[in-house]
Each structure stands twice: as structure tokens, then as C-alpha cells.
């Protein structure tokens, strides 16, 4: 496979996760306050949604065909 032509393709990892890596990941996600963290992320992402531009007509590109 030619990796230079397709930037979306990544070669397989040469190393696997070590036991200490698995332990760190488990500790990271096995918390009592994970629901609070999820709610905080959700509310932060909610404010990042772009507000629609009400002046723009979404079907303006169809005017020449109608």
C-alpha cells in the first residue's frame, strides 16, 4: 500500500500497550465523578455549536433551477 498518496491511512503500531498503560487508562476512566466530567464536557460542547445565520437562505442555490 502506498502510504504517501493516502494521508488517512496509518501504519500499524509497532508496540502494544504495556500493563502500566492499561492501569493508567483504567484509573483515568474509573472515577466516581465521571458523570460530572461528562456533564461538564457536554455543556462546554453545547456552547460551541454555531448559531444559525437566519439571514441566509439555505435554498438560495436552487433559485436558478426553479
Amino acid at each position: 500500500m502506498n502510504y504517501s498518496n493516502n494521508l488517512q491511512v496509518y501504519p500499524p503500531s509497532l508496540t502494544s500497550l504495556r500493563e502500566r498503560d492499561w492501569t493508567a487508562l483504567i484509573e483515568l476512566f474509573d472515577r466516581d465523578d465521571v458523570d460530572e466530567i461528562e456533564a461538564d464536557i457536554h455543556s462546554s460542547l453545547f456552547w460551541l455549536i454555531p448559531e444559525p445565520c437566519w439571514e441566509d437562505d439555505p435554498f438560495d442555490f436552487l433559485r436558478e433551477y426553479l
Side-chain angles (χ1 to χ4, degrees), residues 4 8 13 59:
S4 62
Q8 299 291 330
S13 176
F59 302 109

Side-chain angles (χ1 to χ4, degrees), residues 57-66:
D57 182 7
F59 302 109
D60 190 40
F61 70 97
L62 291 174
R63 295 226 188 274
E64 65 185 82
Y65 300 106
L66 298 176

Side-chain angles (χ1 to χ4, degrees), residues 7-18:
L7 299 177
Q8 299 291 330
V9 176
Y10 301 98
S13 176
L14 299 176
T15 59
S16 61
L17 291 175
R18 296 187 175 116

Side-chain angles (χ1 to χ4, degrees), residues 39-57:
D40 183 43
I41 292 171
H42 179 71
S43 66
S44 296
L45 290 176
F46 176 77
W47 291 109
L48 295 178
I49 297 173
E51 185 176 321
C53 183
W54 298 112
E55 289 111 26
D56 291 345
D57 182 7

Side-chain angles (χ1 to χ4, degrees), residues 18-45:
R18 296 187 175 116
E19 185 65 34
R20 69 173 187 221
D21 300 330
W22 283 110
T23 303
L25 284 172
I26 290 170
E27 289 174 1
L28 180 65
F29 290 102
D30 188 26
R31 299 174 48 141
D32 293 335
D33 61 345
V34 74
D35 292 331
E36 295 171 22
I37 294 171
E38 180 183 359
D40 183 43
I41 292 171
H42 179 71
S43 66
S44 296
L45 290 176

